[in-house]
Amino acid sequence: MSLKKNVVANYLGQGWRALMGLAFIPLYIQYLGVEAYGLIGIFAILQAWLALLDMGMRPALGRDMARFTGGAHDPQAIRDLLRSVEVIGITIAGAVALGIWAASGWLASDWLAAKNLPAEAVARAFTVMGAVTALSFIESIYGSSIGGLQRQVQQNVITSVMATARGFGTVGVLVWVSPTIEAFFIWQGLISLITVALFAGAVYGALPPGHRSARFSISALMGIWRFAAGTTAITLLALLLTQTDKILLSRLLSLESFAYYSLAGIAANALYMLVGPVAAAFFPRFTELVTRGDDLALRAVYHHGAQLVTVLMGTAATVLMVFGDRVLTLWTADPALAHRVAPLMAVLALGTLFNGLMWMPYQMQLAHGWTTLTVKINIVAVGILIPAILSVVPQYGAIGAAWVWVTLNAGYLVFGVHFIHRRLLPREKWRWYSQDIFIPLAAATVTVGFCRWATPHQTLGRLGEFGVLLISLSCVLLAAALAAPCVRTQLARYVPGQFKSRFNAAKMV
């Protein structure tokens, strides 16, 4: 499967999943209420922290699946590794579900500050939430395996179909069965169970048969322990860096206020839907080229991926920051809600953009099996972040935490990039800063500013607002794409080719 097809498949699949996830949020708030939606925000935190418990085995498994495609493993060895990770993953998932059930009463009564939801209902929601979180954990093991095998078209077909069932089915349950948070999570669990079964079948169907049945193997796990340990440390520190604000705010704010922050975070985190597909497609390619020792191709693919991330994520982020109030009003159909959320979303979007720009250098580190740099940088960042959050949040609230997020990721762009390029790509740093990042972002920023200046201040109605946003987005995307050399070259090759093929087809007719 070509890199281009994987990128396209990832965008179509993740884009559809993002649409299914975002489109129904206003309905969830309508049927469940803002407080209950705050519990969905807590669910997102649980899923994020659960990634820590795989002890780095899931990303290590994905990397070794990619190395298998490059000839580094035989079929029996990779099957044994998969079975070993499965056994440990299922054990951890079961323990997590039981642990959340045991703590559900304390979480409902002592941690959260719910005003309208009874503690018993919140506790039941946590119990079901634990089971769904455990299933999502198992699902991620198989998802990582499919991605590593570069079967991302198949992966995205499955996830898109299940995302559709998840979104429409949830609304159907809330409308026709029970408009409760417990019913919401029960449906999520059912869909996750089906998804696990489909993913498991896809992974085993893609692997060649071994000479015997797969079995648990300590030696297979020992082969990935160093990389897994490094990614575990990175995951722990990344969670501290990205989730500390949410944990503190869930305690310091009312559940309703936390729901507003969660909504802003979801809108800003939607930007990852633009960088995630690129990273998922390019990481196995990086790993394959590193395994083969093809440095020339590796550098070319690296800059191509970095510019693609900047063009796509930079376009969406600048539009979200400048047109945030109009985007939220169009999405939620609630101007008052949009007014409360837009300032938070703009700041969080800026920090998320900075974070997303680091994804391609980070994938390059993982492809080389080098994790210690990120561990060291994140230890320093956590030492700065936690005192900053504790001092800023009580005084400035949620907006203060958002600005800490921006400052943190700006530091990564300055310090992290220097050390990554110095070791792995010593002559590529300034090209990354200038051609891959600065020039496309500058073009996007100037264009979005002009679009906002040219847009009428009065409300244009839903159709008119959608038209303004679509035209602005298209203009910013075109400007950023033309400013990025690799992307511009690809367009120059693709567009004339399309015109030529259509012209020849017309002549034949």
Side-chain angles (χ1 to χ4, degrees), residues 126-451:
F126 268 111
T127 299
V128 183
M129 197 187 300
V132 179
T133 304
L135 287 170
S136 298
F137 179 73
I138 299 171
E139 177 185 330
S140 69
I141 293 174
Y142 296 114
S144 179
S145 299
I146 296 176
L149 291 170
Q150 303 188 55
R151 298 294 188 95
Q152 291 157 15
V153 172
Q154 183 182 23
Q155 178 187 16
N156 282 285
V157 169
I158 294 173
T159 53
S160 296
V161 170
M162 299 315 297
T164 304
R166 190 184 300 273
F168 282 100
T170 299
V171 173
V173 167
L174 296 179
V175 173
W176 293 305
V177 180
S178 175
T180 61
I181 191 65
E182 299 99 311
F184 173 92
F185 283 118
I186 288 173
W187 181 256
Q188 303 302 306
L190 177 61
I191 295 299
S192 292
L193 184 62
I194 298 172
T195 306
V196 167
L198 293 174
F199 270 170
V203 171
Y204 278 104
L207 291 175
H211 61 269
R212 56 169 171 75
S213 300
R215 64 189 182 195
F216 184 85
S217 171
I218 296 295
S219 61
L221 294 174
M222 292 299 294
I224 64 171
W225 78 268
R226 188 181 299 276
F227 182 83
T231 54
T232 298
I234 291 172
T235 301
L236 170 61
L237 295 167
L239 287 170
L240 290 173
L241 294 171
T242 59
Q243 302 296 322
T244 296
D245 59 337
K246 299 175 182 64
I247 293 173
L248 290 175
L249 290 172
S250 71
R251 176 63 172 168
L252 298 173
L253 301 177
S254 68
L255 191 55
E256 180 179 351
S257 297
F258 178 73
Y260 293 130
Y261 186 83
S262 296
L263 187 61
I266 286 175
N269 287 342
L271 295 172
Y272 288 128
M273 297 297 178
L274 297 171
V275 66
V278 178
F282 275 76
F283 170 65
R285 182 63 170 161
F286 287 168
T287 303
E288 181 183 356
L289 292 173
V290 169
T291 303
R292 293 178 178 175
D294 192 344
D295 292 337
L296 183 63
L298 183 64
R299 289 195 298 270
V301 172
Y302 172 70
H303 288 295
H304 187 189
Q307 289 180 30
L308 192 58
V309 167
T310 303
V311 168
L312 296 170
M313 196 175 187
T315 294
T318 53
V319 170
L320 203 59
M321 287 184 281
V322 174
F323 287 93
D325 53 340
R326 303 180 94 125
V327 171
L328 286 168
T329 301
L330 184 64
W331 176 32
T332 65
D334 188 339
L337 180 63
H339 177 74
R340 296 194 63 168
V341 174
L344 280 170
M345 183 187 68
V347 180
L348 290 173
L350 178 60
T352 301
L353 171 61
F354 289 166
N355 185 269
L357 296 177
M358 288 293 299
W359 275 40
M360 296 311 287
Y362 177 62
Q363 300 305 315
M364 183 63 71
Q365 286 183 81
L366 294 184
H368 282 83
W370 182 34
T371 58
T372 55
L373 173 64
T374 302
V375 171
K376 293 175 182 178
I377 292 176
N378 284 354
I379 287 174
V380 174
V382 168
I384 296 172
L385 174 69
I386 294 179
I389 291 287
L390 292 175
S391 61
V392 167
V393 170
Q395 185 172 358
Y396 298 101
I399 196 68
W403 277 111
V404 170
W405 171 242
V406 172
T407 305
L408 172 72
N409 287 289
Y412 280 132
L413 286 176
V414 174
F415 299 106
V417 165
H418 168 72
F419 292 110
I420 292 170
H421 286 89
R422 187 176 69 175
R423 173 168 171 173
L424 302 180
L425 300 165
R427 293 184 295 274
E428 308 298 324
K429 181 179 74 171
W430 292 113
R431 182 182 173 190
W432 184 86
Y433 272 125
S434 59
Q435 294 185 8
D436 298 356
I437 303 299
F438 178 76
I439 295 175
L441 274 185
T445 301
V446 171
T447 305
V448 77
F450 174 79
C451 291

Side-chain angles (χ1 to χ4, degrees), residues 96-116:
V96 166
L98 290 174
I100 294 176
W101 167 75
S104 60
W106 174 79
L107 290 169
S109 60
D110 295 343
W111 183 263
L112 297 181
K115 296 180 180 178
N116 301 315

Side-chain angles (χ1 to χ4, degrees), residues 468-503:
V468 165
L469 291 173
L470 182 61
I471 292 172
S472 299
L473 190 66
S474 300
C475 291
V476 177
L477 179 62
L478 180 61
L482 293 177
C486 292
V487 178
R488 183 174 65 243
T489 300
Q490 286 294 107
L491 288 175
R493 293 174 181 171
Y494 176 77
V495 175
Q498 289 296 308
F499 279 119
K500 183 177 180 180
S501 62
R502 293 186 181 185
F503 177 73

